[in-house]
Amino acid sequence: MEKRAACDHSIDDLLARRWSPRAFSERAVDAETVCSLLEAARWAPSCFNEQPWSFIVATKENPEAFSKLLGCLREANQIWARQAPVLMVAVAKAAFDHNGKPNRHSGHDVGLAVENLMLQAVSMGLFAHAMAGFDAGRVREAYGVPEGHDPLVAIALGYPGDPGMLPDDLKERETAPRERKPLMRFVFGRFWGNSWEGLRENRP
Ligand SMILES: Cc1cc2nc3c(=O)[nH]c(=O)nc-3n(C[C@H](O)[C@H](O)[C@H](O)COP(=O)(O)O)c2cc1C
């Protein structure tokens, strides 16, 4: 299933095709493919090139490891994420390595790495779905995540599946159009709240 962005201005096709499905195919994702996704994450930019990300990965190839990670997700996410062949948790390091001071941008940088991973996934015919709905404390305990590292977001990924496999409420969300605020609402020029002049001149 495709859920291409309905863009007001042209963007790259890869970006337009990315979306967050809940229906995944049973098709396994081989380890080399998972490595490519993580390699894409690795090449994200980061503040001071500190690369404050770590990833915990579990695939269905190892059912025990998979259910350990699945068990860290909130029930509402487990319902659909159990179908995905790969689960991950991205973890952010809170302080800089080079001076030990708080890294205000660590969440930002982990987000960049995750988006790199997601776009690489789309380029390879896969899709990834981020989840805030997981128990960070449980991840910390189950995997021995050290102090100063924060489990930030869980990710389910795999090849796209049939939305018909989802419960009715999720099926509806799966097929609903994707929506975004217009640029006018969040791109400002002279003052906060005053949209940037270029937008007015280039109104769709
Ligand atoms: C940090 C983050 C947390 C999210 N948490 C959840 C979640 O717990 N459960 C869920 O179903 N979707 C979750 N999503 C997916 C968003 O709902 C989705 O990205 C948003 O609705 C836009 O849809 P799109 O990705 O298909 O464009 C999350 C996305 C992000 C980036």
Side-chain angles (χ1 to χ4, degrees):
M1 201 183 101
E2 277 216 338
K3 284 231 297 194
R4 199 175 286 264
C7 298
D8 292 338
H9 303 273
S10 70
I11 62 172
D12 192 89
D13 197 51
L14 192 65
L15 298 166
R17 286 192 291 120
R18 186 216 59 80
W19 69 289
S20 305
R22 292 184 177 83
F24 289 96
S25 141
E26 280 178 6
R27 181 177 165 193
V29 181
D30 61 52
E32 182 50 31
T33 301
V34 176
C35 287
S36 287
L37 304 184
L38 294 164
E39 183 72 15
R42 179 180 173 224
W43 287 99
S46 62
C47 188
F48 286 107
N49 197 19
E50 285 255 348
Q51 305 155 59
W53 44 74
S54 301
F55 289 85
I56 296 167
V57 180
T59 73
K60 279 214 174 119
E61 308 293 289
N62 183 339
E64 204 182 304
F66 187 86
S67 50
K68 179 173 166 180
L69 199 40
L70 185 69
C72 294
L73 304 184
R74 301 275 181 224
E75 181 59 30
N77 286 326
Q78 282 192 27
I79 288 167
W80 57 268
R82 67 175 70 252
Q83 300 297 335
V86 184
L87 296 175
M88 295 186 184
V89 172
V91 179
K93 187 170 194 285
F96 285 118
D97 285 332
H98 75 277
N99 62 8
K101 291 191 173 161
N103 178 358
R104 202 165 71 81
H105 295 95
S106 64
H108 171 273
D109 293 351
V110 174
L112 293 178
V114 170
E115 177 72 344
N116 264 19
L117 179 152
M118 289 179 162
L119 293 173
Q120 181 67 33
V122 176
S123 79
M124 299 172 79
L126 296 121
F127 289 86
H129 191 142
M131 292 168 279
F134 74 101
D135 187 334
R138 197 157 174 180
V139 170
R140 183 178 292 291
E141 205 178 294
Y143 291 90
V145 177
E147 274 304 304
H149 293 255
D150 301 319
L152 197 65
V153 71
I155 303 158
L157 68 91
Y159 295 96
D162 175 8
M165 79 211 280
L166 295 169
D168 285 346
D169 54 330
L170 294 184
K171 212 181 296 171
E172 213 169 287
R173 286 166 77 181
E174 194 80 345
T175 50
R178 296 173 58 214
E179 288 180 356
R180 290 297 189 270
K181 296 172 191 170
L183 293 182
M184 297 289 264
R185 294 264 303 276
F186 63 91
V187 182
F188 307 142
R190 282 166 193 272
F191 294 103
W192 184 263
N194 280 33
S195 55
W196 171 58
E197 311 82 69
L199 292 181
R200 274 176 257 134
E201 289 155 17
N202 292 289
R203 226 189 268 262

